[in-house]
Each structure stands twice: as C-alpha cells, then as structure tokens.
Amino acid sequence: MSNDGASAPLDRQPDQTSPPPSQPAPGNASDGAVLPHSNGNSTNDNGGQQNGFANRLRLNPNANHKPDNYEDLNLDFSPYLFSSLERYLPPNLLLMSRDVKVTYMRDILLRYSPESERIRLQKHREYRQKIISNYQRLHRELYTMHVTTFFVPSFLKAINENTEQGLRNIMSEPTPGIFTFEMLQPRFCEMLLTEVENFEKWVHETKFRIMRPNTMNKYGAVLDDFGMETMLDKFMEEYIRPISKVFFPEVGGSTLDAHHGFVVEYGMDRDLDLGFHVDDSEVTLNVCLGKQFSGGELFFRGVRCEKHVNTETQSEEIFDYSHVPGRAVLHRGRHRHGARATTSGNRINLLIWCRSSVFRELRKYQKDFSSWCAECQREQKERQHQSVSAAKLELLRRGETAT
Ligand SMILES: O=C(O)CCC(=O)C(=O)O
Ligand SMILES: [Fe+2]
C-alpha cells in the first residue's frame, strides 16, 4: 500500500486479543481489525433497578453523597465508573466498607456485560495484574500526575486560564482541525523513554508475551498495561478534555471519558512507517518523545465518517507535519492519516486515543455527520444546491405557463 494517502485507510484498533492478534481487515490483508476497545463505560446506563437484588439501586443519583475513590484498586471496570455508580447505591450500602460496595457494584456491572466481553476483561485484568506484580518501575514519579514535571509552563498557563483565547495563544492550527503546541518537558520525555526501555528489557529478560498497542504496530507498548492507566485518565480529563471541549465539541470533545495510552517505536530495527488509517478515538493526542531521527512525518488527508472513509482527498485536505520532540499534535480520530518512514535514528511517540461513550451512543442513531465529516458536508451542500436549482426551475416553469 502506498504511503501518500491515496489508498483506502484502515480503521485502526487496539490489539484486544490475548497475543498474538488478530483478524484481517478489509483493504489490507496484512493488517487486522480486532474487537473494539472496551472502556468499561458503556455499562454505566445499567438500569440497575431491575437487578434482582433485595437492595435495589436508586432511580436517581444521591447528589449529596461523596463517593469513595477506587483508583488504587485493580478493577475490571474504570474506577470512575465505580465512583459514579456509588451515588446510586441504596442508603444502607453507603454505610458499608469500600470492599462491600465494590463487590456489590462489580456484581451489577458484570451482569450487564456480555459473556465474551466479560471473559476478555477478566483475561486482560489478569494480564495486567501479572505485569504490575512483577515489573519493577524505574521512575515512580511517572505513575502519578506531577504537573510541573510533566508539562511546560506555557501549556500549564493556558490550561489554568481555561479560555479559548488563552489556548489559541499557545497553539498553531496549520490546517483546519489539526492543532500543534508545546506540551511536554524534555525531562519528562526522557523519563518516559527510559521507563519504556526498562519495561521492554524486563519483557525480553522474562520472555513475557506482551500485547502490542494495536494491530498495525509490531513494536511499542501499552502504558495502561504497566500501571499508568490512572495517571493517563487524569492526563486526559484535566489536560486533553479542556482543549477538546473548545476545538472538537461536535465529536464529543467535552465528554471524553476513556482512553487508550501507548507508545509507538520506529527505526531500522523497529516499525518503519505506518499506513493510512483512522484511529479508534474521537480525539487523538500524539506527542513525539524523541530521540534523534529523520523522516517519520505525519500525512493528513481530511476528516471522514465511516461511510465516506474511502472517498477521494481534496487538494486543500493534504497536510504533512514533521514531528518535534515535546510538541503535541491534537486531531480528530477520524482525520485520515499515516506516518512516513523513519529513515534514520529512532522515533518514539506517545499516543493517547481519547473516546466519548456519549458520542458513540448518539452516533448510532445518526446518518448525517456534516458537523465534522467533510464528505457529508459536501453532500449536504450539493443537496442544497440542487433544491435551489429545482425551485428556480419550478418558478420559471410557472412563469411560463402563466403567460
Ligand atoms: O507515528 C505516528 O506519529 C502516528 C501514530 C498514529 O497515528 C497512531 O498510533 O494512531
Ligand atoms: Fe493514528
């Protein structure tokens, strides 16, 4: 497949299978599309009133109750889902210990997830547990959010200001819908690179079979799998969502509630390039961590919904971007893109695919995505143009018959 964006983009998904992956995807027999990434959030409309327990859930959440924090537990669903669900617990359960509440809520959630998904979640939980109890972390400070260690001052100032103008001041938008800005401290990039190296060394030494970030990369690692899930949740909620809320409201930018966080690695002894694809995300954050490299440019080719993913690229949609360490690129997941070959050195990038369960739910009932799909927009304009022409013709016809 050529790298210039002319061929059909793949729908890129995380590797959800226990290793090795996966099933073939249409358009390219060598790459696979696998089950959609589960974020545990699709279960939070569980309608728990019908769960058959003696103590039924409340119909409406108890707004005055301050839920427990579940972030330190290794659970099969997001810790935030447990905190949200806790507001629906019957009053007598609210007085119980956190362990009792967890058992009760987990039981409810499991009843609402299909069997195959339940097994997959359980396997993945065991996989993560094995890593977490055996892998010795190198930089403990990476696993909890340390804002000044992570982010450059200009970025923090804009986030704290929390205005569109403040954000625009640190951003460039070289083509519509692609934002780039200075984000990560060089020291943070260096620490994350060495942590990933350390993890891979451990994987190699112990012959542990790891799951790769998705079906298109043979190298790289899922940060969520070795202990960074909670940190990355905060990263998304506090540092990506406020920006997405302003620049990507039409794809659920303000309701991002799940993520897939990973690093990809390119070079002579790694992946070379990345084919044309769309991400399984509403909004993607891509930050180059280093090291020294040449090549590896991203190429973008316009935003498309599922129906139009293979339609032609318009000349104004062609945009190429050269990575700079520490600098972030933020784009819609449906903005078709790929990465050219890294021709020398090594390139390692941090990717956070951010998702909104609300957006995904609403999308099921829609056919027209002209608020963000460029092809839906063109079709809509075409329909408007045709109806104006038809109306004009009709007026002319009436004029003629009247005379
Ligand atoms: O290599 C890159 O910078 C792009 C990675 C990417 O598009 C992805 O992982 O979804
Ligand atoms: Fe991508």
Side-chain angles (χ1 to χ4, degrees):
M1 179 157 51
S2 88
N3 232 353
D4 61 8
S7 37
L10 286 173
D11 201 339
R12 186 146 186 244
Q13 306 240 331
D15 182 358
Q16 291 287 295
T17 55
S18 301
S22 71
Q23 315 156 354
N28 184 336
S30 64
D31 295 307
V34 289
L35 290 169
H37 184 70
S38 159
N39 51 37
N41 286 301
S42 56
T43 43
N44 63 3
D45 57 348
N46 62 74
Q49 297 83 14
Q50 290 122 37
N51 63 37
F53 282 78
N55 290 317
R56 295 191 168 198
L57 288 179
R58 300 164 58 101
L59 271 175
N60 297 305
N62 178 346
N64 298 324
H65 174 69
K66 189 174 174 311
D68 260 316
N69 184 318
Y70 296 91
E71 290 176 33
D72 57 316
L73 300 180
N74 180 31
L75 301 163
D76 2 26
F77 301 95
S78 154
Y80 304 110
L81 181 55
F82 282 87
S83 295
S84 308
L85 186 56
E86 189 179 317
R87 290 210 159 94
Y88 292 83
L89 291 183
N92 56 332
L93 258 166
L94 289 184
L95 305 170
M96 304 278 184
S97 72
R98 192 174 71 148
D99 285 351
V100 173
K101 289 186 287 190
V102 161
T103 311
Y104 182 87
M105 290 191 281
R106 190 171 164 265
D107 213 40
I108 293 173
L109 293 170
L110 286 175
R111 279 162 194 250
Y112 285 88
S113 66
E115 184 64 12
S116 55
E117 180 66 3
R118 201 185 298 179
I119 294 167
R120 193 188 66 75
L121 278 174
Q122 177 62 24
K123 280 201 170 148
H124 198 208
R125 197 165 83 98
E126 287 163 10
Y127 167 78
R128 278 190 180 173
Q129 192 50 55
K130 246 189 233 162
I131 297 177
I132 286 164
S133 43
N134 291 295
Y135 170 62
Q136 292 280 327
R137 296 173 182 181
L138 184 66
H139 302 292
R140 306 201 73 79
E141 57 269 58
L142 283 178
Y143 292 79
T144 43
M145 177 60 71
H146 292 280
V147 286
T148 51
T149 312
F150 284 27
F151 303 112
V152 296
S154 57
F155 176 75
L156 281 179
K157 181 169 171 283
I159 289 288
N160 292 334
E161 228 172 83
N162 198 17
T163 62
E164 175 167 351
Q165 194 50 53
L167 291 171
R168 286 215 181 261
N169 289 344
I170 61 156
M171 295 209 176
S172 101
E173 189 180 6
T175 190
I178 294 176
F179 296 89
T180 80
F181 51 94
E182 288 297 321
M183 188 183 209
L184 299 178
Q185 292 277 17
R187 190 174 132 62
F188 172 83
C189 295
E190 183 57 31
M191 277 199 295
L192 190 51
L193 283 175
T194 50
E195 187 71 43
V196 171
E197 262 170 33
N198 190 56
F199 174 66
E200 287 180 338
K201 188 165 153 259
W202 173 80
V203 167
H204 184 74
E205 283 169 3
T206 57
K207 300 197 167 54
F208 196 90
R209 290 182 72 206
I210 59 165
M211 289 163 79
R212 295 298 176 184
N214 50 62
T215 50
M216 285 170 78
N217 288 88
K218 290 197 192 67
Y219 295 88
V222 180
L223 303 176
D224 299 313
D225 285 346
F226 64 96
M228 294 195 194
E229 188 183 23
T230 307
M231 181 279 280
L232 289 177
D233 251 322
K234 269 214 168 65
F235 194 118
M236 178 191 73
E237 290 187 0
E238 292 172 20
Y239 301 95
I240 303 177
R241 197 162 61 195
I243 309 175
S244 307
K245 180 177 168 181
V246 174
F247 299 116
F248 303 120
E250 68 299 318
V251 292
S254 61
T255 51
L256 300 177
D257 57 6
H259 76 268
H260 179 53
F262 57 98
V263 290
V264 284
E265 299 174 28
Y266 302 89
M268 290 307 149
D269 52 348
R270 295 281 188 267
D271 287 315
L272 266 187
D273 58 9
L274 185 65
F276 194 36
H277 68 278
V278 289
D279 299 336
D280 181 12
S281 71
E282 272 62 79
V283 174
T284 292
L285 179 86
N286 180 348
V287 198
C288 183
L289 301 172
K291 305 175 182 180
Q292 302 265 320
F293 61 90
S294 47
E297 299 83 5
L298 288 177
F299 57 92
F300 287 94
R301 298 292 184 266
V303 185
R304 296 289 188 277
C305 66
E306 216 162 314
K307 180 176 152 208
H308 294 127
V309 73
N310 288 321
T311 56
E312 228 176 276
T313 301
Q314 305 296 316
S315 57
E316 68 276 13
E317 294 179 313
I318 296 177
F319 173 68
D320 284 17
Y321 171 80
S322 299
H323 281 296
V324 178
R327 196 169 178 88
V329 184
L330 194 71
H331 60 85
R332 291 182 186 87
R334 304 289 318 181
H335 206 133
R336 303 180 299 178
H337 61 285
R340 296 193 197 287
T342 294
T343 46
S344 71
N346 281 99
R347 175 168 78 82
I348 294 126
N349 279 49
L350 164 68
L351 271 300
I352 308 182
W353 286 357
C354 305
R355 306 186 177 117
S356 160
S357 47
V358 174
F359 174 76
R360 288 182 181 216
E361 202 51 38
L362 293 175
R363 195 177 53 182
K364 289 182 191 162
Y365 307 102
Q366 292 172 0
K367 282 208 181 74
D368 181 279
F369 301 105
S370 45
S371 64
W372 52 272
C373 168
E375 198 60 33
C376 283
Q377 265 159 28
R378 264 186 287 279
E379 283 185 0
Q380 190 187 53
K381 277 206 191 110
E382 182 57 29
R383 281 195 301 272
Q384 280 165 355
H385 179 76
Q386 279 174 1
S387 67
V388 169
S389 307
K392 275 187 188 159
L393 220 70
E394 177 62 16
L395 281 173
L396 269 172
R397 199 183 57 77
R398 282 192 202 168
E400 274 166 15
T401 47
T403 54

